[in-house]
Amino acid sequence: MIIELLGSSPNPISIAAWYVDTIAVTTQLTSADTLAGGAGTDTLTINAATIDADFTNVTGIEKLTVGTVGSFTLGALAQAAGITTVTTINGANTISASAYTVALTVDMKASASDTDTATTGSGDDIFIWDGTDGLGAADTISGGTGSD
């Protein structure tokens, strides 16, 4: 099942996803929103300008998909929410996760010939780019202190 939240709302979002695999938030996720993933692997799609505080009330979400091109800051709250994989879309994306202490997979293979930046923390991280035109001279990878 997929739940997609469209438009803007002055009210916080509250979802308990016992039978949901994918949650797409096309409005801006905020710290007032409550999202709880269920059993299995749950995916959350978010917009640019997402910061770690936006994950204050998010739990049980393992995969994060970028819905718009931009910058995303993941830290202790995103890690506590369960996020272990981030997948971007085509465009210049910045993933900042230097506060992460667990392994994070950053999948930027959809980003072709763009300037991408991925920064991770002390976990044993994995970076994925397309072998043809994904990783370029202008891209920046900063893998922190783990075995990346």
Side-chain angles (χ1 to χ4, degrees), residues 9 33 40 55 70 117-118 127:
S9 171
D33 300 325
F55 293 93
T117 302
F127 300 93

Side-chain angles (χ1 to χ4, degrees), residues 19 43 68-69 76 80 91 96 101 108 110 129 135 144:
Y19 300 105
T43 302
T68 58
V69 175
S96 301
T101 59
M108 292 187 154
W129 265 267
L135 183 60

Side-chain angles (χ1 to χ4, degrees), residues 79-129:
Q79 179 177 315
I83 306 295
T84 56
T85 301
V86 178
T87 303
T88 64
I89 59 174
N90 191 25
N93 292 288
T94 298
I95 305 297
S96 301
S98 60
Y100 255 60
T101 59
V102 298
L104 182 65
T105 298
V106 180
D107 183 346
M108 292 187 154
K109 67 180 171 232
S111 191
S113 304
D114 298 303
T115 302
D116 297 304
T117 302
T119 304
T120 58
S122 60
D124 296 339
D125 307 307
I126 298 171
F127 300 93
I128 303 170
W129 265 267

